């Protein structure tokens, strides 16, 4: 989380810079690059969790029994992270930043989801089924990997000049056609340049 937050802070600082001779269209793509880095980070963490879970499943006798306090910690983390996620996502949407949306999902929602699955795994472990621990880790690892892949893939497409969605193209076309002196619009092409 600290590495991800550092990436977000650096990208936010650089993306605010005005256009210059080396970057005539501005520096907004720093945010997109940061989203790609956050996606890669999430993917790496998720794959690491999957590897660890598979290792535990190969030697189920080595899985320790957890203490009841672990359940309370997982539930506390679930409430705290879900609250943080909702706050971060609201701010990200208000400022229209895909980088902050990715960070909200990385720093809070993935942790909240992980805490829920971990809590279920702990309950199973406390009930006498220690195998629930690596199964919970597999689920969390899959969820985190999937989020990382999704954010990374979207950011990669944006860096490759993906067009805006059809609704946005229709709005641009309508604005152009409403402009006095414009008779027709054809061959309209778009691309994203940051948020």
């Amino acid at each position: 989380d600290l590495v991800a937050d550092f990436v977000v802070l650096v990208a936010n600082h650089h993306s605010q810079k005005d256009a210059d001779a080396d970057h005539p269209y501005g520096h907004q793509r720093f945010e997109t690059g940061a989203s790609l880095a956050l996606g890669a980070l999430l993917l790496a963490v998720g794959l690491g969790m999957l590897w660890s879970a598979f290792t535990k499943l190969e030697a189920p006798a080595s899985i320790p029994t957890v203490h009841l306090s672990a359940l309370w910690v997982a539930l506390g983390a679930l409430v705290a992270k879900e609250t943080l996620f909702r706050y971060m996502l609201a701010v990200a949407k208000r400022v229209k930043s895909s980088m902050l949306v990715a960070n909200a999902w990385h720093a809070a929602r993935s942790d909240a989801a992980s805490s829920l699955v971990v809590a279920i795994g702990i309950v199973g472990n406390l009930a006498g089924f220690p195998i629930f621990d690596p199964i919970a880790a597999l689920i969390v690892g899959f969820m985190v990997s999937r989020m990382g892949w999704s954010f990374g893939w979207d950011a990669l497409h944006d860096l490759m000049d993906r067009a805006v969605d059809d609704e946005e193209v229709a709005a641009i076309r309508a604005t152009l056609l409403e402009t006095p002196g414009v008779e027709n619009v054809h061959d309209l092409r778009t691309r994203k340049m940051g948020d």
Side-chain angles (χ1 to χ4, degrees):
D1 285 350
L2 287 176
V3 170
D5 289 341
F6 178 74
V7 168
V8 168
L9 288 173
V10 169
N12 186 54
H13 172 72
H14 286 292
S15 69
Q16 303 299 320
K17 293 180 181 176
D18 292 329
D20 57 27
D22 290 334
H23 302 90
Y25 296 105
H27 295 79
Q28 295 88 358
R29 286 201 177 173
F30 267 99
E31 282 200 8
T32 310
S35 294
L36 180 62
L38 291 175
L41 186 62
L42 270 175
L43 184 59
V45 168
L47 292 175
M49 293 175 81
L50 288 171
W51 178 265
S52 176
F54 280 123
T55 303
K56 286 182 181 178
L57 284 172
E58 288 178 348
S62 67
I63 302 170
T65 303
V66 297
H67 191 270
L68 182 61
S69 61
L71 179 60
W72 293 114
V73 170
L75 292 174
L78 170 63
V79 171
K81 286 296 189 169
E82 185 62 22
T83 303
L84 181 62
F85 167 73
R86 292 181 185 277
Y87 170 74
M88 290 174 70
L89 191 62
V91 170
K93 287 182 177 179
R94 189 177 76 238
V95 300
K96 298 179 181 174
S97 170
S98 63
M99 173 187 67
L100 292 179
V101 169
N103 194 46
W105 277 90
H106 167 264
R109 179 45 72 87
S110 65
D111 289 349
S114 300
S115 296
L116 175 62
V117 175
V118 166
I120 293 168
I122 290 170
V123 168
N125 188 300
L126 290 170
F129 302 101
I131 197 76
F132 273 48
D133 182 80
I135 291 172
L138 278 175
I139 294 168
V140 171
F142 175 74
M143 289 171 19
V144 172
S145 297
R146 189 167 162 253
M147 276 188 271
W149 177 262
S150 175
F151 285 126
W153 191 248
D154 279 350
L156 183 63
H157 278 287
D158 287 350
L159 287 171
M160 301 299 290
D161 292 333
R162 174 178 27 194
V164 298
D165 60 39
D166 292 338
E167 186 177 307
E168 190 73 22
V169 171
I172 292 169
R173 183 179 300 280
T175 301
L176 291 172
L177 288 172
E178 291 170 3
T179 303
V182 174
E183 294 180 16
N184 196 1
V185 176
H186 58 88
D187 298 330
L188 178 62
R189 291 195 278 300
T190 63
R191 65 179 178 166
K192 284 188 73 177
M193 179 71 73
D195 289 309

